[in-house]
């Protein structure tokens, strides 16, 4: 059996539906980042579906959030001509459920150490905090925490700090 990825086909958005068993959810910041990724890079991965011939419909096994982006973003939908890149798998419902869970869990998580290194490289190459936040989907607090973890003072070179430890002049007549 060849892998499904060798048979990507464009499918009209209206012929695709969500499944009823996907436990995965994406937080709003990551959903915005996914939308930005699709807007900037296009669809780089097809969604995985099961084709239901009697209904002429495709049910999503993996890719619900990529599908949601197209459904909710008129500009992306228009750019793509209302077509989603789809691969299909032929499995019974139990195995489709297992596939959904495997796809969700196989994505992994980001290593903090590697993220610290990436942020350090971006800062050292001259990227602003605003650029980093916008382009890799971090809020200001997360970016600050990664910089703090690094322990590199150079990562804070563009920050302004208060003079909290500056000596106050004695005020005359206030009993000090």
């Amino acid at each position: 059996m060849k892998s499904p990825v060798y048979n990507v086909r464009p499918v009209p958005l209206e012929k695709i539906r969500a499944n009823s068993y996907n436990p995965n959810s994406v937080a709003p910041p990551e959903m915005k980042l996914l939308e930005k990724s699709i807007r900037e890079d296009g669809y780089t991965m097809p969604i995985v579906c099961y084709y239901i011939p009697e209904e002429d419909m495709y049910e999503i096994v993996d890719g619900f959030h990529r599908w949601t982006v197209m459904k909710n973003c008129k500009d992306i939908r228009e750019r793509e001509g209302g077509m989603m890149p789809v691969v299909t798998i032929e499995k019974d419902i139990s195995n489709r459920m297992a596939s959904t869970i495997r796809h969700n869990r196989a994505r992994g998580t980001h290593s903090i150490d590697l993220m610290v290194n990436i942020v350090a490289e971006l800062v050292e190459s001259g990227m602003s905090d605003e650029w980093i936040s916008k382009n890799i989907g971090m809020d200001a607090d997360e970016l600050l925490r990664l910089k703090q973890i690094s322990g590199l003072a150079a990562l804070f070179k563009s920050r302004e700090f208060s003079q909290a430890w500056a000596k106050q002049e004695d005020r005359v007549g206030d009993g000090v």
Side-chain angles (χ1 to χ4, degrees), residues 51-69:
Y51 180 64
I52 306 165
E54 57 275 4
E55 297 178 39
D56 192 27
M57 288 293 292
Y58 293 79
E59 188 170 273
I60 299 170
V61 173
D62 180 63
F64 172 80
H65 296 98
R66 284 171 274 151
W67 171 75
T68 300
V69 167

Side-chain angles (χ1 to χ4, degrees), residues 106-176:
R107 282 183 179 63
T109 58
H110 287 128
S111 157
I112 296 296
D113 291 338
L114 292 175
M115 289 301 293
V116 166
N117 292 342
I118 289 168
V119 166
E121 284 185 38
L122 290 171
V123 168
E124 289 167 5
S125 71
M127 296 298 125
S128 68
D129 286 1
E130 293 77 23
W131 188 95
I132 295 169
S133 293
K134 179 181 174 195
N135 286 282
I136 62 175
M138 286 185 182
D139 63 31
D141 288 338
E142 182 180 12
L143 182 56
L144 178 61
R145 282 192 303 276
L146 286 175
K147 286 180 165 186
Q148 289 169 333
I149 290 168
S150 77
L152 294 175
L155 297 185
F156 295 93
K157 67 183 174 199
S158 65
R159 304 269 307 198
E160 294 220 9
F161 295 95
S162 71
Q163 298 299 315
W165 295 99
K167 181 183 175 208
Q168 280 189 333
E169 295 298 321
D170 290 341
R171 289 181 282 178
V172 178
D174 64 0
V176 179

Side-chain angles (χ1 to χ4, degrees), residues 10-24:
V11 174
L13 188 63
E14 60 274 3
K15 287 188 170 254
I16 303 169
R17 70 179 184 213
N19 66 47
S20 61
Y21 52 82
N22 187 357
N24 192 24

Side-chain angles (χ1 to χ4, degrees), residues 19-21 50 59 91-100:
N19 66 47
S20 61
Y21 52 82
Y50 172 74
E59 188 170 273
K91 295 185 175 196
D92 63 30
I93 186 67
S94 297
N95 283 298
R96 291 195 310 267
M97 288 178 170
S99 290
T100 295

